[in-house]
């Protein structure tokens, strides 16, 4: 978690997780249109520090904005599009009959402007999830009895200072 503060761009793993969420949420919505009523959720839990939550939410917002710019009809492909192609190839490994890439990207293009990046921690724990794509960033509160419906992707990067089995088991409860 200490390495997040100086980052000016989302790390590769986070970019891939976000791209996978965008593609999988589009596929999920096409398979089950009722999903649109409750929204789809991405969980990002990397640190217990609230400053890290704010910083990480900013990195996610910046990456999503970049992807949105690259999805514009006149845009030239960039890193965001590379990540989306990667995510599509990954999803194709586990889902038979996956719609064509262009169909999923069209869905992402339409829905991306209505995304929400929400911080859930002790300072902002009373958060209302949106009805589209929600990117939830937070700390310890996320692993303590919070139920997140339609959770499609979790980006979890926490390291215990001392690798005690009870700490590892506590962290694994969210799965």
């Amino acid at each position: 978690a200490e390495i997040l503060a100086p980052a000016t761009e989302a790390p590769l793993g986070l970019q891939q997780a976000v791209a996978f969420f965008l593609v999988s949420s589009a596929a999920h919505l096409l398979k089950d249109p009722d999903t649109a009523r409750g929204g789809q959720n991405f969980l990002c839990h990397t640190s217990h520090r609230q400053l890290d939550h704010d910083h990480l939410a900013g990195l996610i917002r910046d990456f999503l904005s970049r992807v949105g710019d690259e999805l514009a009809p006149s845009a030239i492909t960039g890193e965001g599009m590379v990540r989306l192609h990667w995510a599509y190839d990954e999803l194709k490994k586990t889902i038979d009959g996956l719609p064509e890439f262009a169909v999923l990207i069209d869905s992402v293009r339409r829905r991306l402007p209505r995304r929400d990046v929400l911080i859930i921690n002790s300072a902002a724990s009373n958060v209302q999830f949106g009805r589209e794509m929600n990117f939830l960033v937070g700390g310890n509160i996320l692993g303590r009895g919070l139920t997140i419906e339609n959770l499609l992707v979790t980006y979890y990067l926490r390291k215990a200072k001392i690798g005690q089995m009870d700490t590892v088991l506590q962290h694994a409860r969210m799965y």
Side-chain angles (χ1 to χ4, degrees):
E2 300 297 327
I3 60 170
L4 288 177
T8 57
E9 155 174 299
L12 176 61
L14 180 57
Q15 290 181 27
Q16 289 175 323
V18 169
F20 190 83
F21 173 75
L22 294 173
V23 172
S24 63
S25 67
H28 186 227
L29 184 63
L30 288 172
K31 181 178 178 182
D32 182 9
D34 288 339
T35 300
R37 287 191 207 128
Q40 295 162 309
N41 298 301
F42 172 94
L43 174 65
C44 184
H45 181 38
T46 62
S47 171
H48 66 281
R49 295 178 19 189
Q50 292 178 4
L51 284 175
D52 289 342
H53 304 161
D54 293 335
H55 182 71
L56 193 56
L59 295 178
I60 291 171
R61 282 186 194 99
D62 291 347
F63 180 70
L64 290 170
S65 292
R66 209 169 71 216
V67 168
D69 291 345
E70 292 175 14
L71 289 177
S74 61
I76 299 171
T77 61
E79 283 297 312
M81 193 58 78
V82 169
R83 304 285 175 258
L84 293 171
H85 277 286
W86 171 87
Y88 181 79
D89 291 341
E90 286 298 307
L91 192 59
K92 214 156 91 168
K93 293 176 184 177
T94 59
I95 296 182
D96 291 329
L98 187 64
E100 293 295 319
F101 180 76
V103 172
L104 296 180
I105 293 307
D106 187 51
S107 175
V108 171
R109 182 182 294 117
R110 286 192 319 272
R111 297 177 71 217
L112 194 57
R114 294 184 304 277
R115 78 219 179 237
D116 282 322
V117 179
L118 306 165
I119 296 174
I120 302 175
N121 56 31
S122 60
S125 60
N126 202 9
V127 176
Q128 297 295 319
F129 296 0
R131 293 181 53 149
E132 292 283 338
M133 294 183 291
N134 299 299
F135 295 83
L136 313 173
V137 178
N140 293 337
I141 200 167
L142 295 175
R144 296 197 175 131
L146 179 66
T147 300
I148 301 171
E149 300 292 332
N150 286 329
L151 179 62
L152 299 181
V153 173
T154 299
Y155 181 78
Y156 185 83
L157 184 65
R158 290 283 303 269
K159 193 180 343 180
K161 291 178 185 171
I162 301 171
Q164 298 175 0
M165 186 50 97
D166 61 339
T167 303
V168 172
L169 292 174
Q170 181 72 15
H171 284 218
R173 283 184 350 158
M174 69 176 21
Y175 298 105

